[in-house]
Amino acid sequence: MTSKSAAAAARATVHGYPRQGQHRELKKAIEGYWKGQVTADALRGTAAGLRRRHWQQLADAGIDEVPTGDFSYYDHVLDTSVMVGAIPARHRDAVAADALDGYFAMARGNQEVAPLEMTKWFDTNYHYLVPELGPDTVFAADSARQVAEFKEAAALGLTGRPVLVGPVTYLLLAKPAPGVAAGFEPLTLLDRLLPVYAEVLADLRAAGAEWVQLDEPALVQDRTPAELNAAARAYRDLGTLTDRPKLLVASYFDRLGDALPVLAKAPVDGLALDFTDAAAANLDALAAVGGLPDKRLVAGVVNGRNIWINDLERSLSTLGTLLGLAGRVDIASSCSLLHVPLDAAAERDIDPQVARWLAFARQKTAEIVTLARGLAQGTGAITAELAANRADLASRTASALTRDPAVRARAAAVTDADVHRSAPYADRAAAQRSHLRLPLLPTTTIGSFPQTAELRTARADLRAGRIGTDAYEERIAAEIREVLAFQEKAGIDVLVHGEPERNDMVQYFAEQLTGYLATRHGWVQSYGTRYVRPPILAGDISRPEPMTVRWTAYAQSVTDRPVKGMLTGPVTMLAWSFVRDDQPLADTARQVALALRDEVGDLEANGTSVIQVDEPALRETLPLRAADRAAYLAWATEAFRLTTGGVRPDTQIHTHMCYAEFGDIVQAIDDLDADVISLEAARSHMQVARELASHGYPREAGPGVYDIHSPRIPGADEVTALLRKGLEAIPPERLWVNPDCGLKTRGWPEVRTSLENLVTAARTVRGGLSGTAS
Ligand code: GLN
Ligand code: ZN
């Protein structure tokens, strides 16, 4: 094919679409079903209606080929487990009794059975349910849902392209089922799984599907030669089936790297590649294999993960290069639009000038269609769109929101001294000891206390105008007094105010920082029926006023014990927001860090001697490819140190992270130079303490001794035993006693007893340490 015919054939598509509906109809229907208020038929009706509406939206916008089968009641990886018959033994009865209830039991568990484990989908904030496989797993094809949804689209007269999680990614995302040896590698099941995929593909072909998409995002991660061989084998086998639809293997979230030559050689009919951040690397790799002369290339030039308008001219230039490299070039989002909200036009509260820079799913769809038209008919066919796009991009660049000279000057002036504490750790530790006068094995909590129904009601009442600010604030103050009184009585050493004024640990700060935007309807699926509304880092960041000083100082004014100030760290502020795409993440992180640094300084000036800067997202933001990690960790640790580096030696900086597997970032954790770190550890039985010790972690640490993910109350004996284990790795001068994470999702009765037990255990262990008393 010549590049001219490749251009003339250019079509528009997307890899997937938001599922929930503009008013989160799906969430409401599913949760109603769980409560018994919505029948299964009504739920199915709502779901079918949403699918129809969304396909129609895509078709009306000019999308030539709509994705099917990307819809889900909960999660597409769980749907894949159903499709291949990988139902865990403990769920089989429930699934046999009722497929829908069984499905939700796998997703959420019930009285009798635990759900599948949930974890993050690559480096997004979407969570999937981890397949559980073992040497005895027997796969069986169930193509019913995929076939039915393809036919639904066909009945509307639309060309559908079923989207499946590919077999290699499915196996790479799986883990050994309970009871299966940890060394078991799910990928060894590939030969058993491929015939099941073959059957599903044949069924889809029989239903009329011309193309089927197999998503293989796991191939954008570093892969061993054995894993690459498995991919080669999978697509050789599937590609050489006789009765099959055309196969499009889709990659996204990063460059394909070593997997690109493997897939280029495979007998499949098309590849989808990410040409957003990974554009240069994918272009080079494509050129290196001599292009894809016999394949369809689906070019993901419109970013499916951010909420910014596309630079249409830049995309056209990328597409122009691609025309010379493939038999046919189609235009798409870089990944499923699942990761962005549905419609920016619904955001009526955002300044119209700024709103023009935003593209949610519907706007991205329009961009893709415009690009396809431009490619097929020449730029003359999209002159008006290009002019408008150029003007919007220019207005963004020139805006006072995105270019605050004071913020930029300050960020440019950051020195090495700003990212270093003024004294080495040994001196700080001594100064903090005499300033804080804490016992050995000091007790503390991670920040939040139970967010009670009364607190949520008070917030809703304030929003609805049923109560005034004064009444709301009195409610918050009363809650803080109660939380402090409990901690004093229980004998906790370093207190917290409990965070009752915070709806969310990122949103609370975003609302108070200049440069951040909030959306009203910008919901994005986090998992199942849980949707979040990430704030948007839109401009240069500054802090007009202190954000936490008032409540922290209030708390300190009603107790003699130290109250720990609580801030969300710069990396987490970025990770749980939509970030700017017009400057490096490092620059955005530095601006946020400077704003937080001012907050830290104000807290210290107002008498706060212990300040915790939470960074639960430090590890989850780690780039997918190892080669990119050092650069990320460098800016991430710098941002943390910039936030915390300006305090006096006797002010104690804490940080907190909520995961037990931190082996790959332990050096970065050390580099944060925090005086104290609390980590989740209760479930892994103080392995965290041993890992810190074997790394030679030199400062204080509190591996969690109370698993807050469970309503279970840990007994004092159990905590005592955990602490004694911890002491085998960490000396008593450096060991803290705390829960795994914040308490906001727990109930008061369990929290009360658990923390009392924790203090009892700390006292018992202290008493056993020679020459000390509590
Ligand atoms: N300080 C926060 C809290 O206690 C930390 C939450 C988190 O680590 N995710 O709720
Ligand atoms: Zn946590």
Side-chain angles (χ1 to χ4, degrees):
M1 253 194 180
T2 67
S3 61
K4 200 163 165 238
S5 58
R11 310 188 98 210
T13 190
V14 298
H15 292 331
Y17 206 60
R19 298 159 178 163
Q20 76 272 22
Q22 184 61 40
H23 306 289
R24 288 186 296 158
E25 295 91 324
L26 186 62
K27 172 191 174 71
K28 288 170 198 160
I30 294 173
E31 290 179 350
Y33 175 74
W34 291 341
K35 289 190 201 125
Q37 294 158 356
V38 171
T39 64
D41 279 347
L43 171 57
R44 291 195 182 96
T46 300
L50 284 167
R51 287 194 292 270
R52 206 162 42 235
R53 193 189 314 156
H54 293 155
W55 283 323
Q56 213 65 67
Q57 266 172 22
L58 288 167
D60 291 349
I63 292 288
D64 301 293
E65 198 178 274
V66 300
T68 69
D70 62 312
F71 178 85
S72 181
Y73 283 117
Y74 206 95
D75 162 46
H76 53 268
V77 181
L78 176 60
D79 296 341
T80 312
S81 291
V82 172
M83 183 186 87
V84 302
I87 311 294
R90 67 181 181 284
H91 298 292
R92 272 179 216 145
D93 288 347
V95 172
D98 183 284
L100 189 60
D101 291 343
Y103 176 86
F104 287 132
M106 285 191 279
R108 314 167 65 219
N110 59 28
Q111 239 53 3
E112 292 90 48
V113 291
L116 292 170
E117 190 186 301
M118 190 166 72
T119 194
K120 280 168 75 82
W121 174 246
F122 299 91
D123 58 351
T124 72
N125 289 324
Y126 176 86
H127 300 74
Y128 70 92
L129 291 158
V130 182
E132 292 177 4
L133 305 176
D136 302 329
T137 298
V138 178
F139 295 114
D142 176 356
S143 60
R145 192 188 63 89
Q146 281 287 349
V147 167
E149 291 181 16
F150 174 78
K151 286 184 172 166
E152 283 175 16
L156 296 172
L158 303 175
T159 305
R161 184 186 68 249
V163 178
L164 319 181
V165 175
V168 179
T169 290
Y170 178 74
L171 293 174
L172 288 171
L173 293 179
K175 63 164 208 176
V180 172
F184 170 75
E185 288 192 24
L187 197 56
T188 56
L189 300 178
L190 184 65
D191 290 335
R192 245 185 263 174
L193 183 60
L194 291 175
V196 171
Y197 269 79
E199 220 179 305
V200 174
L201 291 172
D203 291 348
L204 287 167
R205 176 82 204 113
E210 186 193 357
W211 283 89
V212 170
Q213 174 174 331
L214 293 152
D215 281 0
E216 293 287 8
L219 297 182
V220 308
Q221 294 173 300
D222 298 323
R223 289 297 162 202
T224 64
E227 289 164 343
L228 292 170
N229 273 335
R233 214 168 68 240
Y235 287 101
R236 188 196 55 217
D237 283 14
L238 296 178
T240 47
L241 293 170
T242 46
D243 180 26
R244 66 162 177 88
K246 290 184 184 149
L247 301 180
L248 171 69
V249 181
S251 65
Y252 39 82
F253 299 151
D254 209 330
R255 55 192 183 271
L256 255 184
D258 293 340
L260 194 138
V262 171
L263 294 176
K265 257 184 268 154
V268 296
D269 311 275
L271 294 189
L273 268 64
D274 186 329
F275 289 102
T276 57
D277 294 345
N282 273 337
L283 274 169
D284 287 352
L286 265 183
V289 298
L292 303 171
D294 308 317
K295 286 187 178 32
R296 171 187 187 188
L297 174 63
V298 174
V301 287
V302 170
N303 195 315
R305 298 179 60 173
N306 76 19
I307 42 69
W308 302 109
I309 53 171
N310 191 256
D311 182 336
L312 296 179
E313 270 162 13
R314 178 159 6 123
S315 295
L316 282 171
S317 131
T318 303
L319 291 166
T321 311
L322 290 175
L323 283 180
L325 288 168
R328 165 179 168 189
V329 177
D330 287 340
I331 327 296
S333 52
S334 63
C335 59
S336 169
L337 297 176
L338 169 72
H339 305 292
V340 294
L342 191 56
D343 191 359
E347 299 302 329
R348 307 244 161 69
D349 295 349
I350 295 180
D351 170 356
Q353 183 59 47
V354 174
R356 298 173 60 107
W357 314 337
L358 300 179
F360 296 177
R362 295 194 71 169
Q363 289 71 34
K364 286 177 187 291
T365 305
E367 291 176 338
I368 292 164
V369 171
T370 300
L371 287 167
R373 204 161 49 184
L375 199 62
Q377 300 168 22
T379 49
I382 55 168
T383 322
E385 286 89 343
L386 287 175
N389 181 247
R390 219 176 291 126
D392 292 343
L393 291 171
S395 102
R396 186 174 170 207
T397 311
S399 153
L401 181 66
T402 60
R403 297 284 182 285
D404 180 332
V407 172
R408 287 181 173 247
R410 190 174 173 210
V414 167
T415 65
D416 199 48
D418 294 334
V419 297
H420 287 90
R421 298 284 296 270
S422 63
Y425 174 66
D427 298 358
R428 279 157 26 207
Q432 290 161 22
R433 253 194 298 281
S434 57
H435 182 50
L436 295 169
R437 309 217 151 271
L438 298 172
L440 288 174
L441 309 182
T443 50
T444 191
T445 61
I446 308 305
S448 57
F449 266 70
Q451 281 267 347
T452 57
E454 296 83 71
L455 278 173
R456 279 193 293 269
T457 308
R459 226 188 311 286
D461 285 347
L462 176 70
R463 243 181 290 127
R466 284 186 293 268
I467 60 171
T469 313
D470 289 352
Y472 175 71
E473 293 187 341
E474 183 35 51
R475 186 71 205 78
I476 296 292
E479 181 71 22
I480 290 174
R481 288 192 301 272
E482 200 177 310
V483 166
L484 290 169
F486 164 73
Q487 294 173 87
E488 283 187 334
K489 188 156 160 282
I492 307 246
D493 301 303
V494 173
L495 311 192
V496 297
H497 79 289
E499 307 179 18
E501 79 286 14
R502 304 186 189 176
N503 36 10
D504 173 274
M505 65 184 285
V506 169
Q507 198 186 332
Y508 181 75
F509 292 93
E511 280 169 0
Q512 302 187 68
L513 289 167
T514 301
Y516 253 113
L517 300 180
T519 69
R520 269 177 85 110
H521 307 283
W523 298 102
V524 179
Q525 189 175 12
S526 171
Y527 63 87
T529 59
R530 190 179 148 78
Y531 288 83
V532 294
R533 241 179 341 175
I536 299 172
L537 271 157
D540 286 346
I541 294 296
S542 57
R543 186 198 69 144
E545 279 174 51
M547 304 181 283
T548 64
V549 171
R550 176 182 171 202
W551 291 122
T552 312
Y554 173 72
Q556 189 62 80
S557 75
V558 297
T559 179
D560 294 331
R561 301 195 183 196
V563 173
K564 185 160 63 164
M566 280 293 152
L567 303 176
T568 301
V571 181
T572 302
M573 289 299 294
L574 264 63
W576 295 349
S577 305
F578 284 114
V579 290
R580 293 176 72 160
D581 66 344
D582 59 347
Q583 65 184 22
L585 283 178
D587 294 1
T588 307
R590 181 178 279 202
Q591 293 181 357
V592 174
L594 284 168
L596 292 169
R597 180 183 175 96
D598 292 344
E599 187 70 16
V600 168
D602 281 340
L603 283 170
E604 183 183 61
N606 279 277
T608 306
S609 303
V610 183
I611 300 169
Q612 177 171 309
V613 177
D614 290 326
E615 283 292 22
L618 184 70
R619 183 173 182 272
E620 65 183 47
T621 316
L622 208 56
L624 294 176
R625 294 244 183 216
D628 304 328
R629 291 187 187 153
Y632 158 73
L633 290 171
W635 68 251
T637 50
E638 190 209 83
F640 183 91
R641 294 173 66 135
L642 186 56
T643 301
T644 54
V647 296
R648 296 192 313 253
D650 62 352
T651 296
Q652 191 169 63
I653 295 292
H654 288 221
T655 188
H656 165 72
M657 297 175 190
C658 12
Y659 33 80
E661 294 103 34
F662 60 90
D664 40 358
I665 57 157
V666 63
Q667 183 57 49
I669 289 179
D670 190 349
D671 291 342
L672 298 180
D673 199 26
D675 299 303
V676 182
I677 180 167
S678 60
L679 283 155
E680 172 176 328
R683 284 185 185 193
S684 71
H685 300 289
M686 304 305 271
Q687 191 193 331
V688 164
R690 280 194 297 273
E691 270 179 52
L692 282 174
S694 67
H695 170 77
Y697 187 79
R699 293 176 297 280
E700 299 173 39
V705 287
Y706 163 22
D707 177 4
I708 60 89
H709 302 98
S710 145
R712 203 179 143 269
I713 296 171
D717 289 352
E718 179 186 333
V719 177
T720 302
L722 284 173
L723 290 176
R724 292 210 166 108
K725 258 198 198 159
L727 281 175
E728 290 168 15
I730 300 177
E733 315 70 63
R734 297 204 270 111
L735 186 64
W736 282 67
V737 182
N738 49 259
D740 271 348
C741 193
L743 304 168
K744 67 169 166 253
T745 57
R746 297 264 63 93
W748 262 109
E750 6 161 341
V751 162
R752 229 175 254 128
T753 314
S754 299
L755 292 180
E756 283 161 6
N757 291 349
L758 201 127
V759 172
T760 304
R763 288 183 174 149
T764 305
V765 179
R766 276 175 208 155
L769 296 167
S770 54
T772 60
S774 64

